[in-house]
Amino acid sequence: MFKNAITYLVTPVFCLNPEILARFPARPCAPHESRTMGFTAPCNHSTDKLAHHVSGYTLICLETEDRLLPCSVVAEEVEQRAIDLEKLQGYKPGRKQMRELKERVTAELLPKAFTQKRLTLGVFAGKYFMVDTSSPARADLMLKALRSALDVLPLAHIQTQQQITGAMIQWLLGTTPHGLTVDDYVELEKAESGNPTITYKRTMIDENDMYRRIRDDGYVPCKIGITLSDRLSFKVDSRLHLNQLTMLELMQLDSRDRRDQAEDVAQAFDADVTLMVGELVSTMNRLINELGGLAQPEKDLLTVANNPAQPEDSDDDLYMDAAAIVIKNQRASISFVQRHLRIGYNRAARLIEDMERSGIVSPMDSSGSRKVLVTADAMKAAGQALRELDEMAKADSTTITLEHNGEVLATFGKESA
């Protein structure tokens, strides 16, 4: 029950109507579908069809089903068919033909692929919504499903007055609040991409070594292990995501007492939910308090879903900024774009979808992740080529126009006098 927690703030006026989740129910993959997802009952004794209410908390569950078609199998079949096609037509297939071959092979093999189901729990607990996953991509799937089911997405990223990185540095150097101890796990990283991460595992943390790494080498902590009140230990990262939640002895005693009082499996399940979610709420409250409280919330995820006034393929003045961030960091997740551009979920989701249509990022794979298909070096090379084209056109006092499907993409140089 809840081994990880990615947490969001819930708008105070929101109250989940479980019946609305029926707009987006779980269903099996059709023969030619690579993925389906939707909501299902979170437990066998759910109080509603697609939600379970216990101790003031509302538990929901996202089910995804993926057809597992290995890329190597597709590539092998495409390669063989390309060889056969070359023999037939007398020359190697071009890019368009190879793309059509791949699409045809995928369509033929997909119905034969095995399927895999995955369940992801989420819980509305007062002002928090928590997703039981360590993967931001899986959390994005949960938000995408809620966005499809609800009229609004009533969630916002947690922003605190003080960045947790600064607090982590203080904790590592020996200044820890009452009831908080640093465990034997630390990850250090540099701000610049491409630098190696230093990880300390199962070793005593030396304050002098930490001081040298931070002051002299320019490293900052990105994830550390901590224990709160001798009840719960976990790893927390710079986004306030909690991983590897572990009940310690005091909390285990509470769990055993509650289970002993339960009359059946259903009551034992409810007791576990009540204990763990209550502890997570207390933990998030404590961490936020140590970081100076919540910052003034910005307009974040509170945007209307499926708004016809904002079509999915509309232009966005932040598209180039978002694409540059994704390519530079080689990370293509909605939450990553949100954090860097400080925008809402729906807008970030549209930007990622636009990048997929443009060929910058891949479609989601079975784990909910995307690959960045354009490297930073390729982007630099393209930029350099365009600058040289512009200089050449200006030197000749001519205008060069780049078009695609009748649409003018860019104009270089200037018209002759």
Side-chain angles (χ1 to χ4, degrees):
M1 171 55 62
F2 274 82
K3 299 297 184 183
N4 308 279
I6 294 180
T7 306
Y8 305 89
L9 286 176
V10 181
T11 180
V13 298
F14 175 75
C15 181
L16 177 68
N17 180 359
E19 294 181 0
I20 295 181
L21 299 180
R23 297 178 182 175
F24 200 66
R27 61 179 179 82
C29 277
H32 289 90
E33 286 182 310
S34 59
R35 160 179 285 168
T36 58
M37 66 178 183
F39 293 103
T40 188
C43 58
N44 293 330
H45 59 287
S46 295
T47 53
D48 282 292
K49 184 178 180 180
L50 297 177
H52 180 57
H53 305 284
V54 53
S55 301
Y57 309 131
T58 301
L59 200 66
I60 64 174
C61 182
L62 177 70
E63 177 184 293
T64 58
E65 181 171 291
D66 295 283
R67 289 196 175 274
L68 305 180
L69 185 58
C71 295
S72 58
V73 174
V74 175
E76 184 177 345
E77 182 64 22
V78 169
E79 183 180 359
Q80 183 57 51
R81 295 194 187 189
I83 293 173
D84 296 340
L85 183 59
E86 182 179 354
K87 292 177 181 178
L88 180 65
Q89 63 187 16
Y91 57 88
K92 289 185 176 182
R95 267 193 227 171
K96 183 179 179 181
Q97 287 180 305
M98 291 298 292
R99 184 170 63 251
E100 291 173 348
L101 276 178
K102 184 176 181 180
E103 292 172 354
R104 193 177 308 126
V105 167
T106 301
E108 291 176 9
L109 296 181
L110 199 57
K112 305 175 185 178
F114 291 106
T115 59
Q116 179 187 59
K117 288 185 178 180
R118 293 184 64 179
L119 301 178
T120 304
L121 289 176
V123 62
F124 286 92
K127 63 181 178 182
Y128 300 119
F129 175 64
M130 301 174 179
V131 186
D132 182 11
T133 181
S134 61
S135 166
R138 295 295 301 177
D140 283 345
L141 288 180
M142 176 68 82
L143 297 189
K144 185 176 181 180
L146 284 172
R147 177 189 177 199
S148 298
L150 306 178
D151 292 328
V152 293
L153 190 62
L155 306 174
H157 281 295
I158 293 176
Q159 299 175 19
T160 53
Q161 296 287 351
Q162 178 187 352
Q163 294 294 321
I164 191 173
T165 302
M168 285 180 180
I169 292 174
Q170 296 177 10
W171 300 342
L172 288 172
L173 298 182
T175 306
T176 56
H178 176 71
L180 185 151
T181 57
V182 177
D183 296 337
D184 56 357
Y185 184 92
V186 176
E187 284 185 24
L188 301 176
E189 67 177 3
K190 284 191 175 180
E192 303 86 359
S193 59
N195 285 289
T197 299
I198 300 176
T199 303
Y200 296 79
K201 295 181 180 179
R202 294 183 293 278
T203 183
M204 293 296 294
I205 305 301
D206 183 74
E207 295 176 11
N208 293 327
D209 183 42
M210 287 294 109
Y211 186 77
R212 179 177 60 82
R213 292 288 188 187
I214 294 170
R215 186 197 65 176
D216 299 337
D217 299 340
Y219 280 91
V220 294
C222 57
K223 180 185 285 189
I224 66 172
I226 62 176
T227 293
L228 278 182
S229 304
D230 294 325
R231 292 178 57 82
L232 186 67
S233 71
F234 51 87
K235 296 178 177 65
V236 59
D237 65 16
S238 55
R239 299 162 294 183
L240 275 179
H241 295 176
L242 310 184
N243 305 141
Q244 298 180 25
L245 297 162
T246 304
M247 290 192 298
L248 301 182
E249 186 174 358
L250 291 178
M251 194 173 170
Q252 289 173 0
L253 288 173
D254 285 350
S255 178
R256 282 195 291 269
D257 290 342
R258 292 172 184 242
R259 280 179 165 271
D260 290 342
Q261 297 172 14
E263 297 179 357
D264 52 32
V265 174
Q267 287 188 10
F269 176 87
D270 289 351
D272 286 343
V273 171
T274 302
L275 178 63
M276 179 55 81
V277 176
E279 198 70 29
L280 286 174
V281 169
S282 297
T283 297
M284 291 306 302
N285 287 339
R286 173 70 187 277
L287 290 174
I288 291 171
N289 183 61
E290 294 295 342
L291 300 175
L294 291 171
Q296 183 66 30
E298 300 180 8
K299 187 177 180 181
D300 196 341
L301 309 190
L302 307 178
T303 51
V304 177
N306 305 321
N307 185 350
Q310 296 177 325
E312 293 295 314
D313 57 352
S314 63
D315 293 332
D316 194 310
D317 56 1
L318 286 179
Y319 177 79
M320 294 306 294
D321 293 334
I325 289 169
V326 166
I327 293 170
K328 177 182 177 182
N329 294 277
Q330 292 294 292
R331 292 181 61 184
S333 75
I334 297 171
S335 57
F336 184 75
V337 172
Q338 278 183 272
R339 288 196 307 275
H340 280 73
L341 296 182
R342 303 176 75 84
I343 58 176
Y345 174 87
N346 294 327
R347 189 176 185 184
R350 284 194 294 271
L351 288 169
I352 290 290
E353 289 165 1
D354 288 344
M355 282 183 247
E356 180 183 335
R357 284 191 287 270
S358 301
I360 295 175
V361 303
S362 70
M364 279 188 178
D365 60 21
S366 59
S367 67
S369 302
R370 300 176 186 267
K371 292 181 179 178
V372 182
L373 304 177
V374 179
T375 65
D377 290 341
M379 197 71 173
K380 290 178 182 178
Q384 180 62 29
L386 293 176
R387 285 191 292 272
E388 292 175 357
L389 190 64
D390 186 50
E391 292 172 1
M392 182 178 67
K394 288 179 179 178
D396 295 339
S397 298
T398 60
T399 299
I400 299 176
T401 302
L402 296 182
E403 296 185 7
H404 178 68
N405 292 336
E407 179 184 356
V408 177
L409 301 179
T411 302
F412 302 96
K414 59 181 180 179
E415 296 180 359
S416 302

